[in-house]
Amino acid sequence: MFHIIANPVAGRGYSLVRLQALTALFDNSGIPYEVLHTTAPLDGYEKSKHVCLNGSDGIIAIGGDGTVQEIAAGMADAHDGHASIPIPLGILPCGSGNDFVLSLSGSKPSYLGKYNDKANQQAAESLCNAIIQSHIRNIDILKANGTAYLNIGNIGLDARIVKNAVRLKHTFGSYAYYAAVYQSIIQHKNIPLTIEIDGKPIDGHYTLVAVCNGQYYGGGMKIAPPAQLDSSKITVCLIEALSRPKCVLLFPSLLFAQHTRLKQVRFVQCDSLAITLPNNETLCLDGNLYEKSGTITFEIMPHALKVFCDKTM
């Protein structure tokens, strides 16, 4: 029995259209399934944890990166103490960014970010084919103070942009992210941080720190070109203190991975990481926001999660 956990509001409601396309394919293929709808924040976490504790042939996440992160965190906590999660995860992307799938596939699938009839059918067929063919990729899981995530955790300017975008969404709609970029740069402050990389401390002021498993965030910005989902290493992007004018130039450069040329940008690969915050700051894990203070400890679970991945991706 497969368990489909769907966020009904993801993709402006198109998640339900993709759900219908997938269940039709499951019916035609004789794949047994149960559909579970999320109804509130962290409901995906609770549902996936419950499913794992009671057994499943696979969990299918329908939603954006935030929904996927909740479900993966529930799976990880259900198998806490195990080196790997025995239940595989399938993803039918239906969010505004879908950055994890972009990192997973290595190139942009034709259906990603599109919600017309053709794209919905292609997305469902891609996942169904991967399940039927048992095509699975083993990837790493990262944890921040014990909370699992799959793609990117970030602190600083980019996390504040996500926080402001949530607040501005009702006013600016689909332009909320751009409005949030403007507001966040106006409010910009560099953060004094103590960072321990594999136990070695460094101090400095930072515009942002991204702790990465995947390469992309923010709807296709390639923040961490060196990162690989199965490298068994944490990839850290450190961007040292930038002025407001340079922050304006930073985000266009991310679209083409040109930020790697800036002298304030460096990448480190490590096994463990700890970041000590001077005050309360926003931590963003795959689009989900957490208010944090004190020390955040990051760790990696190498090859801990099996993910269905179509060979054509």
Side-chain angles (χ1 to χ4, degrees):
M1 174 74 74
F2 282 81
H3 293 83
I4 302 172
I5 302 177
N7 180 351
V9 300
R12 302 182 301 279
Y14 280 103
S15 55
L16 299 179
V17 178
R18 292 203 165 174
L19 170 63
Q20 185 177 21
L22 182 66
T23 55
L25 291 171
F26 276 17
D27 288 336
N28 291 336
S29 302
I31 299 173
Y33 63 88
E34 179 183 2
V35 177
L36 305 168
H37 293 284
T38 62
T39 58
L42 295 179
D43 198 23
Y45 169 88
E46 297 294 344
K47 282 182 166 57
S48 66
K49 185 175 181 179
H50 177 78
V51 164
C52 284
L53 293 174
N54 287 275
S56 178
D57 292 321
I59 293 177
I60 310 301
I62 302 183
D65 290 323
T67 300
V68 175
Q69 185 267 324
E70 283 192 12
I71 290 170
M75 296 173 72
D77 282 0
H79 296 92
D80 188 33
H82 292 74
S84 63
I85 299 168
I87 297 171
L89 174 66
I91 300 167
L92 192 54
C94 195
S96 56
N98 304 309
D99 290 294
F100 174 69
V101 169
L102 191 56
S103 292
L104 181 69
S105 63
S107 60
K108 188 173 183 178
S110 60
Y111 57 77
L112 204 63
K114 301 176 183 177
Y115 298 110
N116 54 47
D117 290 344
K118 181 179 179 181
N120 293 332
Q121 189 64 29
Q122 286 178 332
E125 288 177 354
S126 176
L127 176 57
C128 192
N129 289 339
I131 291 170
I132 291 171
Q133 297 167 12
S134 296
H135 190 247
I136 286 174
R137 182 178 176 185
N138 294 303
I139 69 165
D140 306 330
I141 289 177
L142 299 189
K143 285 187 174 183
N145 282 0
T147 299
Y149 67 100
L150 300 183
N151 195 38
I152 292 176
N154 47 296
I155 298 165
L157 178 60
D158 43 1
R160 288 195 293 273
I161 288 172
V162 175
K163 184 178 180 179
N164 284 332
V166 171
R167 185 175 54 81
L168 295 172
K169 189 172 184 179
H170 294 295
T171 303
F172 292 94
S174 60
Y175 296 97
Y177 185 83
Y178 301 103
V181 169
Y182 174 79
Q183 185 177 79
S184 301
I185 290 175
I186 293 298
Q187 299 170 341
H188 171 62
K189 59 176 182 178
N190 294 304
I191 309 172
L193 299 174
T194 296
I195 302 174
E196 289 190 12
I197 300 173
D198 287 339
K200 298 178 181 179
I202 57 172
D203 294 320
H205 285 70
Y206 295 89
T207 293
L208 67 86
V209 178
V211 186
C212 309
N213 197 29
Q215 296 182 345
Y216 297 90
Y217 75 166
M221 293 187 289
K222 199 171 187 179
I223 182 67
Q228 297 294 329
L229 293 171
D230 54 4
S231 66
S232 301
K233 290 288 185 181
I234 302 170
T235 299
V236 188
C237 175
L238 300 165
I239 301 185
E240 296 175 353
L242 297 177
S243 65
R244 288 190 181 94
K246 286 189 176 180
C247 287
V248 173
L249 300 175
L250 175 63
F251 287 91
S253 73
L254 286 170
L255 290 171
F256 304 100
Q258 295 301 304
H259 64 297
T260 57
R261 299 182 179 183
L262 298 175
K263 66 179 182 180
Q264 293 91 349
V265 177
R266 65 186 176 111
F267 297 93
V268 178
Q269 292 191 313
C270 59
D271 298 310
S272 65
L273 177 77
I275 300 175
T276 301
L277 307 170
N279 301 297
N280 285 356
E281 289 288 341
T282 300
L283 169 67
C284 182
L285 300 180
D286 297 351
N288 289 328
L289 300 175
Y290 304 82
E291 296 305 313
K292 296 290 184 180
S293 60
T295 299
I296 306 172
T297 301
F298 294 86
E299 58 183 321
I300 188 167
M301 299 172 60
H303 298 179
L305 183 65
K306 302 175 179 66
V307 180
F308 288 110
C309 184
D310 190 354
K311 291 181 180 179
T312 63
M313 289 178 64

